[in-house]
Amino acid sequence: MIQHLLPRACDFARVRTRRALRILPALVAVSTLLSVPDAAAASGFGVTSRAVPDAVAARVGPLFEGSLDDGHFCTASVVRSDYGDVIATAAHCLDGLDGEDAVFAPGYRDGVAPYGLWRLTGSYIAPEWTDSEDPDDDIAFATVAPLGGAEGQNVQDVVGGFRVAVARPDRPTVTVLGYPSNREAPLRCANVTTLLSGTQRRIDCPDLSGGTSGSPWLVDGALAGVLGGYEAGGSDPDVSYSAVLGEQALELYRQAAVSTE
């Protein structure tokens, strides 16, 4: 089941169209939004530090359950889409969330949202997560619209968006960017990952504590997963997990990101 909160800021005919399952034209269109990263991986570092405010970090931000005064609870990132309004995060971050109050703050740092606040208008969560909280489906996508902003503005035009990776080497070097709930700026860590199982990937990076759920896992600048999955991302802040992106996740992405018009 795909959960929807509010229609996005466009006509209702478009909303109904985009809720339909994607067929061949959509499969062709989605190829322009996906990426196959290079197989070569650099040496992993395994050191967590404060992320510099660059173009990559601008696409990542915390989720707030209301305003900036209410504290943030998860991390999300902008991914490429036809309408320019899609973010990726962990399914457990969106499940049961009151979307009318939730906002995304890309590039947030030290109490300031330099690229504005974006309210969540819809969510795409796999039925396997909704029914049984299957850790292999702990990834979700949501649509956003400017909070009090101009009609027709989209977040991708403001900060850009990550491509979604459709293939990875066996041991890719991943860069994680996320917001612990007790920090007001993002942390960054890169390291070589390993497989916990055929469907779960592991990274050793210190200090990725609560609030980093949903953080993008970037391989050569493309989204290859989000922090979540096994034990909702892990019970140890020094070891984190992500579900390996499979066909279910890519289908959710197609439904959120691709227009059939």
Side-chain angles (χ1 to χ4, degrees), residues 184-226:
E184 293 300 288
L187 297 181
R188 177 191 182 279
C189 180
N191 209 344
V192 176
T193 60
T194 58
L195 286 174
L196 174 70
S197 68
T199 56
Q200 295 285 326
R201 195 173 292 281
R202 164 186 167 140
I203 191 169
D204 293 332
C205 275
D207 301 323
L208 297 182
S209 56
T212 58
S213 288
S215 298
W217 286 35
L218 303 174
V219 177
D220 297 331
L223 185 91
V226 301

Side-chain angles (χ1 to χ4, degrees), residues 6 8 14 44 54-55 63-64 102-103 116 162 172 182 189 205 208 219 242 246 251 253:
L6 297 169
R8 63 179 59 189
R14 284 184 175 178
D54 58 12
L63 294 174
F64 292 83
V103 294
F162 298 119
N182 62 352
C189 180
C205 275
L208 297 182
V219 177
S242 169
E251 177 58 23
Y253 175 58

Side-chain angles (χ1 to χ4, degrees), residues 105 119 127 196 208 232 239 241 259:
R119 62 187 178 89
L196 174 70
L208 297 182
V239 181
Y241 302 89
S259 168

Side-chain angles (χ1 to χ4, degrees), residues 42-64:
S43 298
F45 301 106
V47 175
T48 300
S49 60
R50 182 175 169 121
V52 298
D54 58 12
V56 174
R59 300 173 183 177
V60 182
L63 294 174
F64 292 83

Side-chain angles (χ1 to χ4, degrees), residues 51-259:
V52 298
D54 58 12
V56 174
R59 300 173 183 177
V60 182
L63 294 174
F64 292 83
E65 209 160 345
S67 69
L68 296 185
D69 297 328
D70 295 325
H72 49 90
F73 62 93
C74 272
T75 302
S77 59
V78 182
V79 292
R80 295 190 181 184
S81 64
D82 286 349
Y83 288 108
D85 61 353
V86 176
I87 61 174
T89 189
H92 73 261
C93 293
L94 298 184
D95 195 13
L97 182 67
D98 184 355
E100 293 188 38
D101 295 328
V103 294
F104 170 60
Y108 174 83
R109 191 172 293 258
D110 300 324
V112 177
Y115 306 106
L117 296 178
W118 302 78
R119 62 187 178 89
L120 273 64
T121 59
S123 62
Y124 296 77
I125 302 173
E128 288 80 4
W129 175 265
T130 303
D131 294 342
S132 61
E133 297 187 355
D134 186 338
D136 292 343
D137 291 288
D138 194 7
I139 182 170
F141 299 92
T143 52
V144 297
L147 183 66
E151 189 76 11
Q153 186 181 25
N154 68 67
V155 69
Q156 184 176 310
D157 284 345
V158 176
V159 299
F162 298 119
R163 290 183 176 269
V164 173
V166 296
R168 294 152 300 278
D170 290 339
R171 291 170 54 86
T173 294
V174 165
T175 299
V176 181
L177 288 166
Y179 287 79
S181 56
N182 62 352
R183 291 177 179 264
E184 293 300 288
L187 297 181
R188 177 191 182 279
C189 180
N191 209 344
V192 176
T193 60
T194 58
L195 286 174
L196 174 70
S197 68
T199 56
Q200 295 285 326
R201 195 173 292 281
R202 164 186 167 140
I203 191 169
D204 293 332
C205 275
D207 301 323
L208 297 182
S209 56
T212 58
S213 288
S215 298
W217 286 35
L218 303 174
V219 177
D220 297 331
L223 185 91
V226 301
L227 200 153
Y230 176 66
E231 294 186 342
S235 58
D236 183 342
D238 295 340
V239 181
S240 300
Y241 302 89
S242 169
V244 174
L245 293 187
E247 186 54 39
Q248 177 70 274
L250 292 179
E251 177 58 23
L252 287 177
Y253 175 58
R254 293 179 188 115
Q255 293 172 25
V258 178
S259 168

